Amino acid sequence: MGDFIGSVWWMIVSLGLLVTFHEFGHYWVARRCGIKVLRFSVGFGKPLWSRRNRAGTEFAIAAIPLGGYVKMLDEREVEVHPAERGQAFNHKTVWQRIAVVAAGPAANLILCIALLWAMFVIGKQDYSATIGRTTGMSQTAGLQAGDRVVKVDGRSVATAGEASMALTTAAMDRHDAKVEVLDGLDQVRTRTLPLSQLPAGFDERRVPQLTGLSWQFWLQPALVDKVLPDAAAQGVLVPGDLIVAVDGQRIEGADQVPAQIAALGQRGGPGMIDVLRGGERLALEITPRQGVDGRGQPTWQIGIGFPETHAPAYDAELKFGPFAAVPVALRETARMAGDSLGMMRRIVTGNASLQNISGPVTIARVANVSAKRGLDWFLYFLALLSLSLCIINLLPIPILDGGHLLYYLIELVKGSPLSERAMAAGQYVGLALLAGLMGLAFYNDILGLVPR
């Protein structure tokens, strides 16, 4: 329940902030153009709070916190007194109308840059792109534990998240990735990861794992936390033992232990388990027993438990001075925009799954997780969400800002506005497209909540 309340709260805070800034962009430019604004609303539906200023604008906070709007004086919507026609939106020049409509997405873009600037000044704690273990494809390609990825296909990466994103986009494009690493001797090495060999329909959220690559921060030491009574490990292992090998197979993380125990059990008979205890390496004999796991499935066990997983310590920091952070924030905004537009292109062309489209449930969960990780991560989340709102609103879909901009560009070309009938038809098409996207987003959100 705590996570549910936290998710709802941080979603409201996030969307409230970003929507307010977006709508303020429309409002500010509209007032500069001499347009009368009737209502500035954060949220939809019945107002929970409202106040009117001297210019006659009603500022309101409404019950449904999933958007907002600025209602301007417009003869197509309300009756306008002749004395106020000069303040009506539809009486302004096409360039003024373009400026007003474009101001919302522009405000989100500016906010994204400002949030990233603040994040870099504060310092974002993160995980380095250091490899902890390789198997399969990654091992065959020559990647090794301890290598630190510095470039993927010529694109510099500073963190494991950036490296994972670069590998994922290469995999979706079905081409092999050139991976530059710094090895243990600080020598630059270039490896080719054959991502084109991944099977069709691969899980785009698990590209590093599918290639056999595990980041160092993923690995939990195989440190024995408890030994169950009457288990195979009783009298053999003790809490505090660090497992380093099972039946001659090296162990680098706790996640490798169950598979090696299962292999030992299937082989039959006793085997050796190597541990570090008090600084001394011991080789101990152990015989797994057959039991059932938490899902009732048969498995080989020795009856030990590892510590509850916890977030590992950060080993990288992205921090700059106030002036140096400005170009870095601009470059990061450009990178994020390129990734977002690239993902949209891949979805349209079929290179990326429709599961990449997320809705409010996912936003709420990510907002809560980001807030828990600290101010730096929450600022990054807000920046990414603000940029997403900017891009989505610029899509040429009627009822969105991009649709209105399309109407005005057509007006510039043909020399006169589109007919009311054409604009109304466009609104219906826009509503249908938006309803379809929202339905897909909700479906993916619900699918993400179903255990697999």
Side-chain angles (χ1 to χ4, degrees), residues 4-44:
F4 173 78
I5 295 175
S7 297
V8 172
W9 166 250
W10 288 114
M11 182 188 73
I12 293 173
V13 170
S14 302
L15 290 181
L17 173 64
L18 300 183
V19 167
T20 299
F21 213 84
H22 177 96
E23 300 303 335
F24 181 77
H26 291 309
Y27 170 81
W28 189 84
V29 175
R31 295 299 298 141
R32 301 287 79 73
C33 291
I35 299 170
K36 183 175 182 179
V37 178
L38 302 179
R39 175 179 287 180
F40 181 120
S41 177
V42 177
F44 299 110

Side-chain angles (χ1 to χ4, degrees), residues 226-368:
K226 59 185 176 181
V227 178
L228 301 180
D230 300 322
Q234 189 177 36
V236 180
L237 302 179
V238 297
D241 284 348
L242 178 65
I243 300 174
V244 293
V246 175
D247 205 26
Q249 297 297 314
R250 182 180 175 184
I251 297 296
E252 298 170 329
D255 60 312
Q256 293 177 297
V257 174
Q260 294 303 324
I261 294 297
L264 175 58
Q266 291 167 3
R267 180 175 66 77
M272 304 304 293
I273 185 167
D274 291 19
V275 301
L276 289 178
R277 180 185 298 171
E280 182 181 2
R281 181 165 179 149
L282 304 175
L284 308 169
E285 187 176 277
I286 196 166
T287 304
R289 300 174 186 172
Q290 199 159 30
V292 293
D293 60 18
R295 296 174 297 177
Q297 300 297 315
T299 184
W300 291 95
Q301 302 173 336
I302 58 174
I304 61 172
F306 297 115
E308 293 294 326
T309 56
H310 60 280
Y314 294 116
D315 61 354
E317 183 181 41
L318 304 175
K319 187 172 183 177
F320 303 88
F323 294 106
V326 174
V328 177
L330 291 171
R331 287 196 298 270
E332 181 66 8
T333 301
R335 184 193 67 80
M336 290 164 55
D339 286 342
S340 298
L341 292 171
M343 182 63 72
M344 288 182 179
R345 174 179 59 80
R346 292 180 182 94
I347 290 174
V348 171
T349 59
N351 287 351
S353 169
L354 292 174
Q355 290 183 357
N356 288 291
I357 299 175
S358 301
V361 176
T362 299
I363 292 174
R365 294 171 67 184
V366 176
N368 188 43

Side-chain angles (χ1 to χ4, degrees), residues 134-165:
T134 59
T135 58
M137 182 189 298
S138 293
Q139 188 176 53
T140 303
L143 295 172
Q144 299 178 0
D147 287 349
R148 181 165 62 86
V149 179
V150 292
K151 285 186 179 180
V152 177
D153 287 335
R155 169 177 165 175
S156 297
V157 296
T159 65
E162 291 179 2
S164 295
M165 183 64 187

Side-chain angles (χ1 to χ4, degrees), residues 125-127 217 311 314 368-378:
Q125 303 297 314
D126 213 325
Y127 299 107
F217 77 94
Y314 294 116
N368 188 43
V369 171
S370 301
K372 286 182 176 180
R373 294 180 75 172
L375 178 60
D376 51 346
W377 280 88
F378 190 59

